[in-house]
Amino acid sequence: MEIRKLQKIVVSALEDIKGKDIAVINTAKLSSMFDCIVVATGDSNRQVKALARNVHEKVREAGGMVLS
């Protein structure tokens, strides 16, 4: 899956559950392991779990692979 498409899916999934302070950090020049990191915050432990679950579901629906 193209990285830009994956970024849009992840950010959209985070926005659906009202994730806050969403930031996409380009790490392509820093590490060969991954191209970017998406960071977001939530108001509670329950919301953070819902954010992670929604991202997981949306990426899998789009045909992406989720490692953990």
Side-chain angles (χ1 to χ4, degrees):
M1 177 180 295
E2 184 182 305
I3 191 71
R4 296 287 176 204
K5 181 179 177 186
L6 182 58
Q7 275 179 227
K8 287 180 183 180
I9 292 168
V10 170
V11 170
S12 175
L14 292 170
E15 289 173 341
D16 287 348
I17 308 293
K18 308 261 192 278
K20 295 183 179 180
D21 303 324
I22 300 169
V24 179
I25 304 167
N26 185 354
T27 59
K29 294 181 182 178
L30 301 174
S31 173
S32 61
M33 291 182 69
F34 41 84
D35 293 328
C36 69
I37 298 173
V38 180
V39 180
T41 60
D43 290 328
S44 66
N45 192 27
R46 178 183 238 171
Q47 184 186 17
V48 171
K49 288 180 182 180
L51 288 166
R53 185 174 44 253
N54 196 41
V55 168
H56 183 106
E57 289 171 2
K58 298 293 181 180
V59 170
R60 292 196 80 190
E61 285 174 7
M65 187 172 85
V66 179
L67 298 177
S68 75

